[in-house]
Amino acid sequence: PCMGSPATFSGAVFPGTYKVTVGGNSANGSSLPPQPQTVQAALVVSANTTGLTYDVRTHTVSGTVTQNGMVPTGGTCSSSPRGYVTLADAAQGYSFTFDIPCMGSPATFAGAVYPGTYKVTVAGNSANGSSLPAQAQAVQQMLAVSADVTGLAFDVRTHTVSGTVTQNGMVPTGGTCSSSPRGYVVLTDAAQGYRFTLDIPCMGAPATFSGAVFPGTYKVTVGGNSANGSSLPPQAQTVQPMLVVSADTAGLAYDVRTFTVSGTVTQNGTVPTGGTCTSSPRGYVALTDAAQGYSFSLPIPCMGSPATFSGAVYPGTYKVTVSGNSANGSSLPAQAQEVQAALTVAADASGLAYDVITRTVSGTVTQNGMVPTGGTCTSSPRGYVGFREVQRGYNFSLPIPCMGAPATFSGDVFPGVYEVSVSGNTANGSSLPGQAQRIIDRLAVP
């Protein structure tokens, strides 16, 4: 309870062996830390148990934080913290975070923690533009706390990295942006777990970037902001595998290399239809370079004949697939078909022509020789006929319409060898079980 002395507790529990923890209510400013402390590892309760006495042991840790030997600034903050000091004891599962107040010099922190051995990190509050990076830096790997610890002094080391980004030697455009970035330069130090994202401002030539990062060895990637139509692809390109940052690093110059790939898509030699689409794509041409981790999806516009695609990709060797947009009833199946196993892109590639081959499969379904019922359905299917291609993994689910006798199915699949199953739609009470039953082990569709 909030009031009273001594601080008591009481309640009914089931018989058993319990781990007991005590934690404070941070909402009302209790002196007990909100982080639970284990005060008894095994409490056996086989009868009423009174007179338990638990003493929560805490120690105060306090000190100052600097950034490159100077007081870190709080940006636009007025009352919110300029940053945070976090102490984590992985062995015991304890974690404490203390505010670095917005105002004041030096930048101090203080708080109560439990006895333990802590890894200490410092991070800034990006919400108010603190000069401390929001990425947490480990400033002490092992801080033993067995008594009050005062006078701690943690210096967050940062270095400024800056430079310019081009695309094929030219300034990348920002599309429709007015204030949002046209792209991002991302620095990742996998060994230390650091990741920094530096904006490429929307306006201006050259396209610059600048920001503070921790000392380390970084992989550097550049990607565009698709939200505003940047000419830089949103897929990140690795522009430097290893950038060693041990001092301020200026004058970096990264050129994002892209090539345009373009062509047409047909379906069985004819132009695929867009169904009900008016502006959304009728489908997509996807290029995937598994070795480099690149993936690009180029839309096939809803309208127009022939059905074209075009877009910028990075140099690489790509598997190419084509799929339809099921949301608007495209005649292209939503299941992606591989149309080229290895497309090498080392220059602009135009005139590509991909023909998606489909076959129509159709028939009837019975249940114990009778037409299966649709339960309460009015328009939703009474069930589905599933086709799973055993070698390439294609999957198609063809609906059995709710009404009508016989119960028919029809739809397009790719050439292949299929395992065929039938299942009911349990949502509307179909007489067909919801569990799929295999009815054909191998159906060859030439």
Side-chain angles (χ1 to χ4, degrees):
C2 178
M3 304 296 187
S5 179
T8 60
F9 65 93
S10 179
V13 303
F14 300 138
T17 301
Y18 292 87
K19 180 177 82 169
V20 185
T21 63
V22 176
N25 182 358
S26 60
N28 59 27
S30 170
S31 63
L32 290 166
Q35 168 72 61
Q37 182 183 72
T38 300
V39 291
Q40 189 168 353
L43 170 66
V44 177
V45 179
S46 57
N48 290 339
T49 304
T50 61
L52 296 171
T53 303
Y54 296 124
D55 186 31
V56 177
R57 305 299 298 175
T58 62
H59 301 297
T60 298
V61 294
S62 61
T64 58
V65 172
T66 53
Q67 181 180 4
N68 301 321
M70 307 293 289
V71 176
T73 61
T76 59
C77 76
S78 55
S79 59
S80 60
R82 77 187 90 177
Y84 309 93
V85 177
T86 299
L87 292 85
D89 184 327
Q92 300 187 85
Y94 297 149
S95 182
F96 299 88
T97 297
F98 305 123
D99 292 352
I100 306 169
C102 177
M103 305 296 189
S105 178
T108 60
F109 67 93
V113 304
Y114 302 143
T117 301
Y118 292 89
K119 175 182 174 182
V120 186
T121 60
V122 176
N125 182 359
S126 60
N128 58 30
S130 171
S131 63
L132 291 166
Q135 167 72 61
Q137 183 182 78
V139 290
Q140 187 164 349
Q141 291 294 332
M142 297 180 66
L143 172 66
V145 178
S146 57
D148 289 350
V149 181
T150 61
L152 294 169
F154 297 126
D155 187 37
V156 177
R157 305 300 296 176
T158 62
H159 300 299
T160 299
V161 295
S162 60
T164 59
V165 171
T166 53
Q167 181 179 3
N168 301 322
M170 306 292 289
V171 177
T173 62
T176 59
C177 75
S178 56
S179 58
S180 59
R182 77 186 89 178
Y184 308 93
V185 177
V186 178
L187 293 88
T188 305
D189 183 327
Q192 300 187 85
Y194 297 149
R195 180 183 172 88
F196 296 89
T197 299
L198 311 181
D199 291 353
I200 306 169
C202 177
M203 305 297 188
T208 60
F209 66 92
S210 181
V213 305
F214 302 145
T217 301
Y218 292 90
K219 179 177 83 170
V220 186
T221 63
V222 176
N225 183 359
S226 60
N228 58 30
S230 171
S231 64
L232 291 166
Q235 167 72 61
Q237 183 182 74
T238 300
V239 290
Q240 187 167 357
M242 293 180 64
L243 170 67
V244 177
V245 178
S246 57
D248 288 349
T249 304
L252 296 170
Y254 296 126
D255 187 38
V256 177
R257 304 300 296 173
T258 63
F259 297 113
T260 299
V261 295
S262 60
T264 58
V265 171
T266 53
Q267 181 179 1
N268 301 320
T270 63
V271 177
T273 62
T276 59
C277 76
T278 55
S279 58
S280 59
R282 75 186 91 178
Y284 305 91
V285 176
L287 294 88
T288 305
D289 183 328
Q292 299 188 86
Y294 297 150
S295 181
F296 298 89
S297 182
L298 310 181
I300 305 167
C302 177
M303 304 298 188
S305 179
T308 60
F309 66 91
S310 181
V313 305
Y314 301 143
T317 301
Y318 293 89
K319 179 177 81 171
V320 185
T321 61
V322 176
S323 61
N325 183 358
S326 59
N328 59 29
S330 170
S331 65
L332 290 167
Q335 169 72 59
Q337 183 181 80
E338 181 180 311
V339 291
Q340 188 168 357
L343 169 67
T344 299
V345 178
D348 290 346
S350 60
L352 298 171
Y354 297 124
D355 188 35
V356 176
I357 303 300
T358 60
R359 305 288 189 234
T360 299
V361 293
S362 61
T364 59
V365 173
T366 55
Q367 181 179 7
N368 301 320
M370 307 291 289
V371 176
T373 62
T376 59
C377 77
T378 55
S379 58
S380 59
R382 75 186 91 178
Y384 305 91
V385 180
F387 289 77
R388 185 182 71 83
E389 211 283 328
V390 298
Q391 295 175 329
R392 296 188 176 181
Y394 297 144
N395 276 288
F396 297 89
S397 183
L398 308 184
I400 307 167
C402 177
M403 304 297 189
T408 61
F409 66 91
S410 181
D412 288 339
V413 303
F414 301 145
V417 178
Y418 289 87
E419 176 187 285
V420 185
S421 61
V422 174
S423 60
N425 183 358
T426 57
N428 58 30
S430 170
S431 63
L432 290 167
Q435 171 68 53
Q437 182 183 72
R438 184 188 304 172
I439 55 173
I440 301 176
D441 287 330
R442 294 290 184 272
L443 174 66
V445 178

